[in-house]
Amino acid sequence: MSQKPNSSSPPPIALTIAGSDSGGGAGIQADLRTFAAFGVHGASAITALTAQDTRGVHAIHTVPRAMLRAQVEAVLGDFKVGAVKLGMLATPAIAREVARLLQQRPRLPVILDPVLVATTGARLATHDLADTLRRHLFARADLVTPNIPEAERLLGRRIGDRRAMHAAAQALLDDGARAVLLKGGHLAGTRIADLLLAPGIERWFDHARIKGESHGTGCSLAAAIAAGVAHGSRLEAAVEAAIEFVHDALVAGYRPGRGRLRVLDHIAARPARS
């Protein structure tokens, strides 16, 4: 018996522009699983291919700018995209190309995860990418989500405690960011504090540290925020839901490979939606 086409409205759509992780724990793969967990249709434009597993990053091949441009234009020309998540951009040339493409859609919400170094310590960007992100994408992004090492690279200063986190987040706003979620997981302590700072918003999110070293948390967090925005959530609410989602996915996480890194279980943490 043939089935009738589903006449209900399609789900919200989010686009991730990021690198591919062959191990499946981070990058495009984690973004798409996050979108699916939030009931969002995920589209993607791949900036780089990585040979990556739970032990490290073994090779990186960046995608030609023309191919990246074709991917983004194909998605934006056909789909009603509700939010864009930016992850690994790898080189200044790719970052500038992405900035040019997004300038053509000035009202499209953008969540920028300034990926510079992998959890394993492998460099995922050229030395001069941090400056390019600040110059070309900060002002375009609705939210920038650096961790402590990324913020230190962006600002050229050490961040050692919560007071320094607040000063760093303010400095990123002064550099042009519209809003900053500075993730405090790299600071010592049994609890983790993340700071959301924007004009009219200052909120600390405090939560317990989960033991073990994990992979893909930053990608998944930014993707979850983008998914919330695509659903129509306000930024603060989207950030709160995303932090809770990543925490639950980490609790349910597992080690799929021989390396020490755990990956998130995005499906187990799937949030309930009314």
Side-chain angles (χ1 to χ4, degrees):
M1 180 183 295
S2 61
Q3 294 183 340
K4 294 181 179 180
N6 189 345
S7 60
S8 62
S9 299
I13 299 169
L15 166 64
T16 170
I17 304 176
S20 170
D21 172 8
S22 59
I28 289 282
Q29 288 80 357
D31 294 345
L32 294 178
R33 286 204 302 276
T34 299
F35 291 162
F38 276 80
V40 170
H41 176 84
S44 63
I46 297 176
T47 61
L49 306 175
T50 70
Q52 190 172 173
D53 53 32
T54 59
R55 294 171 291 189
V57 179
H58 308 290
I60 297 174
H61 174 71
T62 56
V63 171
R65 282 182 294 163
M67 184 59 194
L68 171 62
R69 182 167 58 251
Q71 293 176 80
V72 174
E73 290 177 344
V75 172
L76 295 182
D78 186 36
F79 298 96
K80 185 179 180 181
V81 175
V84 174
K85 180 258 179 172
L86 303 181
M88 177 186 178
L89 300 181
T91 69
I94 290 175
R96 288 192 294 268
E97 184 66 36
V98 170
R100 283 193 292 269
L101 291 165
L102 292 176
Q103 284 173 358
Q104 301 170 21
R105 305 285 179 122
R107 295 186 179 182
L108 183 59
V110 175
I111 309 301
L112 169 60
D113 182 21
V115 175
L116 300 172
V117 179
T119 302
T120 57
R123 186 177 300 278
L124 295 177
T126 59
H127 287 281
D128 47 355
L129 179 62
D131 182 61
T132 303
L133 294 177
R134 290 169 60 187
R135 293 176 56 193
H136 295 278
L137 281 168
F138 264 33
R140 178 61 188 84
D142 294 83
L143 178 68
V144 182
T145 66
N147 58 29
I148 295 292
E150 289 162 348
E152 290 177 335
R153 285 273 304 278
L154 289 164
L155 294 170
R157 67 169 76 167
R158 185 177 178 275
I159 303 169
D161 54 30
R162 292 196 185 193
R163 183 175 181 180
M165 281 182 65
H166 189 282
Q170 183 60 57
L172 292 171
L173 290 180
D174 294 341
D175 277 345
R178 301 180 193 177
V180 175
L181 177 64
L182 181 51
K183 300 170 291 188
H186 286 79
L187 297 183
T190 58
R191 299 194 65 81
I192 295 174
D194 303 321
L195 172 61
L196 175 62
L197 193 64
I201 302 175
E202 181 179 328
R203 183 172 175 186
W204 289 90
F205 297 89
D206 187 87
H207 45 99
R209 184 184 299 276
I210 299 170
K211 292 183 179 180
E213 195 168 0
S214 302
H215 180 51
T217 54
C219 304
S220 300
L221 180 63
I225 297 170
V229 171
H231 270 290
S233 297
R234 292 184 179 273
L235 182 62
E236 186 174 352
V239 168
E240 181 177 17
I243 289 174
E244 181 179 352
F245 166 77
V246 169
H247 182 271
D248 291 347
L250 276 171
V251 170
Y254 54 92
R255 289 174 55 188
R258 295 189 176 94
R260 68 185 186 279
L261 296 182
R262 292 165 55 86
V263 301
L264 284 66
D265 190 332
H266 301 83
I267 303 306
R270 182 172 53 219
R273 299 200 66 89
S274 57

